[in-house]
Amino acid sequence: MIRQDFSRIDAKRKHADHRKKQFATPQYAALQYDTRLNFYTIPPTADITLEQFEQWAIDRLRVLAELEACSFRNKTPQETAAYMKPLLDKYLPLSGTSSGSSKLQEERMKDHYSHFILRLAFASTEDLRRRFSRVESMLFRLRFMENDIKERQLFVEGLNLEWDIVGKEEKMRWSEELRAAAGGPLVLRNVEDESWFKVDWERVPELVEGRRVFVRGGKAYVPGREQISMVVAEFTKRLDKALEMTSRALPRLDEDDRLTPILAHLSNNFTTPDASYSSSATSLPGADISARNIDNLSSSFPLCMQNLHRSLRRDAHLKHYGRLQYTLFLKGIGLNLEECLVFWRTAFSKITDDTFNKEYRYNVRHAYGDVGGDSNRRGNGYSPFSCQKILTEHPPGPGESHGCPYRHFSIDNLTALLQAVGVKDHEVLRGVKEDKEKMKFHMACNRVFEYAHKQEIKKVKEDGTWGAAELETIVHPNEYFKRSYLLKNLGKKEAASEDEERADVKMED
Ligand code: SF4
């Protein structure tokens, strides 16, 4: 009885305390980041805005997705570092302490917070945890490699990894053994120049197994250049453990209706990185984007849109979702509403004007935001679909042509379609098959893009007109078109600008 009374009163108190806590000034503070690298053992505690929460996570996600793409393409560590440099500088810069940058703390804070936000987003399933841990470890390794030696050493010492530094005297005592284990006199000329440390041999089984270390009294003597593998292994081990713990705490987050949708969106994005569409970013000034030119332009369309175009030409019809996916794409490449209506009207050649006006005209106008309300709130209609949307929403049923062929076609049908659009190289087709089996659909699409524009990409890379930012992984059909169009019209653009220059000179004369 007493217990009951007590618990009733306590419940009220709890409620009051909760409200009090909610409106109290948080006892949180920003951390001081002494080193550039971070093992992310301390969770962030300072306040950030919801916008920062989302934007920082999106920026990190971009970096991780590109890193993963590098590994899928079997890039060497050097190629990966060169490819990632401009992307890291843009989305997740992290200057060394010796740089004297005034943004050190800001950059480190973003790095710290974005890691923890993504940890929350990717802790939910085993697959996501595994992928996240893998790419985070890759990122850590990349940064570790480019850290200056002094800073790197300082960081490692601060980790308390229970390594004993081998002193000069001990090095000399075992110099022969150390030299032999480290690869002989040709590889290691001077034992003294190398920094060595001792660990319990069980912690480096692969080094012991490969006879790459000298073992004595249960301790393995590890040369400094093997340090990176050990530090990264430790990073991965701790991260895996932390992700497990985060996954157990996740259900408690369900109650937070501000964060849950953001986190869900982020983890979806990791399946296929999302891209928002911006008409200015995809516009092509001077290009002939008109109804009568769509057949020509279609050679620059990604496979999803080529498939829709081919089905439309074959059947003089497309079902609802196919029309919507294609209309929005055409709008995205810069086809205006009038031209789009002309395009659909002529394409649907087997129906009367009356039927077209009654059944189809409204939907096209609606997609452009010319009519309709609610979902058209912004007044300019729907945005063209990103790969993520096409890959994950509304899979096509029988008789429908929308979706992404890399995902929704059988491998035989996909191969036949690729061959029909000119992709006949066996290596490329084999790569596409592997990508599809691993469910890396947009990687298959990028593979085909690279194959179809091999010469042009080589040229822009060689003459330095396109950098890594222009050649980022494609995650939006409209970006595919824009990039393909620009690459295929490189010469024409130059010729056009030369013409313009000549005209300018004439006028000046
Ligand atoms: Fe289209 Fe994207 Fe699929 Fe490529 S990956 S075919 S652009 S949906």
Side-chain angles (χ1 to χ4, degrees):
M1 194 65 178
I2 294 169
R3 255 183 105 103
Q4 269 181 354
D5 281 343
F6 179 74
S7 69
R8 186 169 53 82
I9 295 164
D10 191 42
K12 270 187 186 171
R13 274 194 189 144
K14 258 206 273 182
H15 186 64
D17 280 347
H18 168 70
R19 286 186 61 78
K20 215 166 139 192
K21 261 191 199 160
Q22 194 178 345
F23 297 107
T25 316
Q27 299 297 308
Y28 300 148
L31 286 172
Q32 179 68 25
Y33 302 97
D34 294 330
T35 53
R36 173 176 179 264
L37 294 169
N38 197 332
F39 250 42
Y40 310 109
T41 37
I42 304 170
T45 49
D47 286 346
I48 57 169
T49 65
L50 217 48
E51 284 74 28
Q52 284 172 322
F53 183 92
E54 188 166 21
Q55 192 55 50
W56 291 358
I58 289 172
D59 286 349
R60 191 179 195 92
L61 194 55
R62 259 175 204 272
V63 166
L64 297 184
E66 289 297 334
L67 258 181
E68 195 177 45
C70 285
S71 86
F72 289 146
R73 290 178 187 151
N74 289 330
K75 282 191 194 281
T76 63
Q78 291 77 8
E79 286 169 343
T80 303
Y83 179 79
M84 291 304 298
K85 172 126 190 16
L87 299 171
L88 282 165
D89 288 347
K90 186 170 169 192
Y91 297 114
L92 211 55
L94 199 59
S95 316
T97 309
S98 55
S99 71
S101 164
S102 57
K103 293 194 173 147
L104 279 189
Q105 292 302 317
E106 224 173 278
E107 290 174 358
R108 291 173 188 184
M109 183 175 175
K110 178 176 174 182
D111 176 61
H112 183 208
Y113 281 59
S114 60
H115 169 90
F116 270 93
I117 299 165
L118 292 192
R119 204 188 263 193
L120 282 179
F122 299 132
S124 58
T125 70
E126 202 186 325
D127 180 52
L128 283 174
R129 288 197 292 273
R130 193 174 35 76
R131 284 179 62 198
F132 180 65
S133 160
R134 183 166 170 267
V135 281
E136 277 287 333
S137 301
M138 285 172 69
L139 178 62
F140 180 83
R141 178 186 283 270
L142 191 71
R143 286 169 161 176
F144 191 86
M145 297 287 282
E146 65 183 25
N147 230 23
D148 82 36
I149 296 182
K150 212 168 134 205
E151 230 174 309
R152 195 194 292 185
Q153 218 45 51
L154 208 69
F155 172 71
V156 174
E157 280 166 25
L159 289 175
N160 296 325
L161 292 176
E162 293 161 9
W163 297 348
D164 293 334
I165 309 281
V166 181
K168 196 175 166 191
E169 205 181 295
E170 197 174 358
K171 268 198 253 182
M172 294 322 296
R173 193 179 325 140
W174 305 112
S175 64
E176 280 314 305
E177 289 80 355
L178 292 175
R179 186 177 287 118
L186 286 178
V187 178
L188 188 71
R189 285 174 206 281
N190 199 343
V191 168
E192 251 188 281
D193 291 346
E194 179 82 78
S195 56
W196 299 81
F197 48 95
K198 287 190 286 189
V199 289
D200 291 337
W201 73 267
E202 298 98 325
R203 288 183 59 189
V204 285
E206 69 291 359
L207 296 182
V208 175
E209 196 187 330
R211 294 171 186 268
R212 277 150 52 206
V213 282
F214 165 55
V215 182
R216 192 181 164 275
K219 297 279 183 195
Y221 287 63
V222 184
R225 60 195 148 80
E226 300 284 2
Q227 197 183 54
I228 178 154
S229 325
M230 291 195 55
V231 177
V232 176
E234 187 68 27
F235 177 87
T236 312
K237 194 175 106 191
R238 291 191 191 185
L239 179 56
D240 287 346
K241 213 162 154 193
L243 280 165
E244 277 289 333
M245 284 169 66
T246 311
S247 77
R248 273 180 246 143
L250 272 184
R252 274 182 269 152
L253 254 184
D254 277 354
E255 289 163 24
D256 195 322
D257 53 8
R258 297 161 314 155
L259 302 189
T260 316
I262 298 179
L263 294 175
H265 183 68
L266 288 169
S267 58
N268 255 341
N269 250 342
F270 204 38
T271 316
T272 319
D274 200 3
S276 57
Y277 154 82
S278 118
S279 55
S280 59
T282 50
S283 71
L284 292 164
D288 178 10
I289 311 285
S290 58
R292 64 174 161 23
N293 204 28
I294 296 295
D295 283 328
N296 286 334
L297 295 172
S298 68
S299 65
S300 281
F301 290 178
L303 203 59
C304 50
M305 302 305 167
Q306 290 212 38
N307 181 45
L308 283 167
H309 192 72
R310 293 166 77 88
S311 303
L312 178 63
R313 290 294 182 238
R314 186 191 60 217
D315 305 335
H317 189 260
L318 279 181
K319 290 198 173 178
H320 174 72
Y321 275 113
R323 291 200 308 275
L324 184 60
Q325 182 175 317
Y326 200 27
T327 301
L328 293 173
F329 170 78
L330 292 174
K331 177 178 135 186
I333 72 170
L335 191 72
N336 66 31
L337 174 60
E338 280 66 35
E339 284 294 313
C340 196
L341 285 166
V342 171
F343 171 76
W344 284 111
R345 178 63 202 100
T346 41
F348 279 24
S349 53
K350 294 182 192 159
I351 58 168
T352 62
D353 277 348
D354 196 34
T355 314
F356 181 80
N357 289 340
K358 267 195 208 139
E359 292 180 21
Y360 301 106
R361 177 177 286 271
Y362 183 88
N363 281 348
V364 178
R365 291 179 60 204
H366 191 262
Y368 272 74
D370 195 42
V371 286
D374 53 328
S375 53
N376 248 329
R377 261 168 279 140
R378 274 183 258 154
N380 52 3
Y382 298 97
S383 287
F385 295 162
S386 65
C387 295
Q388 189 201 25
K389 197 171 170 69
I390 296 173
L391 281 160
T392 55
E393 293 176 18
H394 295 297
E400 291 184 312
S401 306
H402 66 275
C404 169
Y406 295 106
R407 170 162 212 160
H408 300 119
F409 275 31
S410 67
I411 188 64
D412 290 344
N413 288 349
L414 175 61
T415 309
L417 177 62
L418 282 169
Q419 285 171 336
V421 300
V423 183
K424 301 206 163 110
D425 186 293
H426 288 303
E427 269 303 291
V428 177
L429 293 172
R430 197 177 50 77
V432 166
K433 186 167 179 261
E434 278 173 20
D435 292 335
K436 183 171 167 57
E437 280 163 5
K438 289 185 196 149
M439 297 178 69
K440 304 285 172 217
F441 308 111
H442 71 294
M443 295 308 301
C445 185
N446 278 272
R447 184 188 292 278
V448 168
F449 180 88
E450 281 170 21
Y451 164 74
H453 303 85
K454 207 169 23 193
Q455 299 303 337
E456 295 87 351
I457 292 175
K458 189 165 171 257
K459 184 170 184 300
V460 291
K461 271 189 180 168
E462 276 172 7
D463 63 22
T465 40
W466 286 32
E470 281 87 5
L471 292 165
E472 269 178 44
T473 307
I474 298 171
V475 290
H476 199 297
N478 285 85
E479 178 58 31
Y480 186 111
F481 168 74
K482 182 191 175 185
R483 215 178 282 183
S484 170
Y485 182 89
L486 289 175
L487 286 171
K488 284 186 184 166
N489 289 281
L490 281 174
K492 286 182 204 158
K493 204 178 153 205
E494 276 158 23
S497 48
E498 276 167 25
D499 283 351
E500 271 168 31
E501 265 173 37
R502 271 196 291 278
D504 286 348
V505 173
K506 262 192 179 168
M507 281 179 76
E508 278 169 23
D509 287 348

